[in-house]
């Protein structure tokens, strides 16, 4: 009887106190603040909420924030997979340095990243000057060249910069645990490289890719520090939604700020719910 009771012991306390503490902590940190957003935004009625959340300037910021975040996450999905593949499967000079640099957006303050990107891609920056009128690569985009900083393109570059590590660090462990014998077996049976990747490698990586995509997208939607400098903050052109929230708060328009925040919260939650549903579906399908 003593050995049986020792075998049933758990490091953590029982289910009831553990679940109770978890729900209390989750409510205190997440649920109560989120509920306060909706309560504050609805304090002046639905008409005030709708007017604040759907003004043309705010709608333009929605399109930029969610659109650029989605495109940045898709780009990182492709190049993050390629980068993780090179780090795991190949040996090359400077591999440890490249592996360490991937985590730089995690450690670098977002304001520093924004200033650095602005200095680099501004019309007088090292890269921006190449595409500015008179630059070496300006002829590729017509007589006016290509302006990167202070445009939606600059916002996209900043979001790609801060989102890349999420894809790489999510896919990398799965690649390291993947058995190369499966790929060799497919090749020995006459499968081409694309066929092997599509039917052998991709099904194993798909849940990790979707997880990294969701993380990169969520981070990009709420990013402020690294985007605010390179965006230029031109109304109806390069204003991001977090900036609109800050502007409302500076004007003491708390109802407007919370209304915009509530819309971002709802849209982000729905998109992440869809992505998590796809991830669960692919995991179940791969387990069959």
């Amino acid at each position: 009887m003593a050995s049986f009771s020792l075998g049933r012991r758990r490091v953590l306390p029982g289910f009831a106190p553990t679940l109770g503490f978890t729900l209390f902590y989750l409510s205190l940190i997440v649920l109560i603040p989120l509920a306060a957003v909706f309560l504050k935004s609805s304090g002046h009625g639905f008409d005030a909420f709708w007017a604040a959340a759907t003004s043309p300037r705010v709608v333009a910021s929605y399109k930029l924030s969610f659109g650029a975040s989605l495109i940045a996450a898709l780009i990182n999905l492709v190049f993050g997979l390629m980068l993780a593949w090179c780090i795991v499967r190949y040996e090359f000079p400077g591999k440890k340095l490249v592996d360490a640099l991937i985590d730089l957006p995690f450690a670098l303050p977002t304001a520093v990243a924004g200033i650095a990107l602005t200095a680099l891609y501004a019309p007088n920056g090292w890269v921006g000057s190449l595409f500015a009128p008179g630059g070496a690569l300006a002829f590729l985009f017509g007589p006016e060249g290509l302006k990167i900083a202070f445009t939606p393109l600059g916002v996209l570059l900043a979001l790609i910069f801060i989102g890349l590590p999420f894809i790489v660090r999510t896919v990398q462990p799965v690649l390291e645990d993947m058995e190369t014998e499966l790929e060799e077996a497919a090749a020995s049976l006459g499968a081409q490289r694309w066929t092997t990747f599509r039917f052998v490698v991709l099904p194993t990586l798909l849940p990790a890719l979707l997880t990294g995509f969701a993380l990169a997208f969520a981070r990009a939607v709420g990013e402020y520090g690294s985007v605010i400098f390179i965006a230029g903050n031109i109304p109806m052109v390069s204003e991001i939604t977090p900036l609109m929230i800050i502007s409302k708060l500076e004007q003491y328009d708390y109802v407007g700020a919370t209304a915009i925040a509530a819309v971002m919260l709802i849209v982000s939650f729905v998109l992440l719910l869809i992505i998590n549903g796809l991830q669960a579906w692919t995991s179940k399908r791969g387990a069959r």
Side-chain angles (χ1 to χ4, degrees), residues 107-133:
L108 194 66
T110 56
V112 176
I115 294 173
L117 290 172
T118 304
L120 188 63
Y121 291 104
N124 58 348
W126 289 354
V127 178
S129 60
L130 298 176
F131 298 93

Side-chain angles (χ1 to χ4, degrees), residues 56-96:
R57 189 172 174 180
V58 174
V59 171
S61 73
Y62 293 151
K63 293 179 181 179
L64 177 60
S65 291
F66 288 106
S69 298
L70 183 62
I71 296 173
L74 290 173
I75 294 174
N76 282 329
L77 193 66
V78 177
F79 291 98
L81 173 59
M82 295 173 61
L83 185 54
W85 186 279
C86 291
I87 292 175
V88 173
R89 294 298 179 88
Y90 300 106
E91 295 292 335
F92 53 90
K95 177 180 176 179
K96 296 295 184 181

